[in-house]
Each structure stands twice: as structure tokens, then as C-alpha cells.
């Protein structure tokens, strides 16, 4: 007997993935059983969410982020890049002065 394919609302999927992420002490099988869904369905949702999150960190869009949050993320990325440049300059300067004082 073939089971009928069920469609779940996006909100249910998000809530299920959030439950998985917040329940580190429970195994996926128990969570899926408690929600009344197949284990592989839940695994797929978690995998898709992880992919979506990694795209967001790489600069892709995210429907869960407000425009203000997206702008803050862009600002923080620019600031991070500037700070990395500053650190590189300081590292080179420290190496230069270390060589000068040993001469």
C-alpha cells in the first residue's frame, strides 16, 4: 500500500526545523515521530534549511531577514573587511619594527 503524499505548510516546516535545532538532547527519529512525519522528510527539511542558511552567510538573500537586518549584515561585513585590512597592516608594521630593532 502506497502512502498518500502530504503537503505541509512552510510555517510547519520552519517550526519543525527550529524544534530540531533547539532539541539537542533528542534524536531526530523521536522528533519526527512526535510530529507525525516521516524521518526522511524531516531530514530533508533540516538539510534544505542548512543550505539556505549557508547561502545567507555567503551573501545571498534570506526571506527571514528584515531589510534592516540585511543592511546591518552588509555593514558588519564591510567593517569586518576593513578590520582585517587594519590587522594586516599592523602585522606587517610589527614585523618591520621587529627587524629594525634587532639590527
Amino acid at each position: 500500500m502506497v502512502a498518500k503524499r502530504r503537503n505541509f505548510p512552510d510555517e510547519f516546516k520552519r517550526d519543525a526545523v527550529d524544534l530540531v535545532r533547539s532539541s539537542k538532547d533528542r534524536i531526530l527519529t523521536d522528533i519526527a515521530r512526535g510530529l507525525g512525519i516521516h524521518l526522511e522528510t524531516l531530514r530533508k527539511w533540516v538539510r534544505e534549511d542548512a543550505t539556505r542558511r549557508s547561502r545567507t552567510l555567503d551573501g545571498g538573500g534570506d526571506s527571514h531577514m528584515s531589510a534592516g537586518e540585511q543592511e546591518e549584515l552588509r555593514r558588519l561585513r564591510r567593517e569586518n573587511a576593513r578590520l582585517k585590512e587594519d590587522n594586516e597592516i599592523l602585522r606587517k608594521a610589527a614585523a618591520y619594527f621587529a627587524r629594525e630593532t634587532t639590527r
Side-chain angles (χ1 to χ4, degrees):
M1 178 172 196
V2 176
K4 181 181 173 194
R5 178 177 220 127
R6 299 183 335 190
N7 289 322
F8 296 95
D10 289 339
E11 184 177 2
F12 179 80
K13 293 176 185 180
R14 279 192 304 271
D15 290 345
V17 170
D18 288 343
L19 180 62
V20 169
R21 294 201 185 287
S22 66
S23 301
K24 297 298 181 193
D25 58 330
R26 293 176 62 194
I27 61 173
L28 212 54
T29 306
D30 289 341
I31 296 171
R33 188 178 301 125
L35 293 172
I37 60 176
H38 194 274
L39 172 62
E40 290 306 315
T41 300
L42 184 57
R43 273 198 182 127
K44 177 184 168 199
W45 295 347
V46 170
R47 218 175 15 252
E48 288 171 348
D49 183 67
T51 301
R52 183 186 51 75
R53 285 174 184 259
S54 70
R55 272 194 234 122
T56 299
L57 293 176
D58 293 339
D62 182 18
S63 61
H64 292 72
M65 292 175 65
S66 69
E69 289 170 329
Q70 290 175 356
E71 178 54 38
E72 181 181 13
L73 182 60
R74 282 191 289 274
R75 181 187 63 76
L76 290 171
R77 284 185 174 142
R78 283 191 304 269
E79 182 180 353
N80 190 33
R82 184 185 56 78
L83 291 171
K84 284 180 179 180
E85 287 178 25
D86 291 351
N87 282 340
E88 183 64 18
I89 291 168
L90 290 171
R91 185 188 65 74
K92 289 178 180 178
Y96 171 79
F97 287 115
R99 280 193 308 272
E100 289 296 315
T101 58
T102 59
R103 288 186 181 179

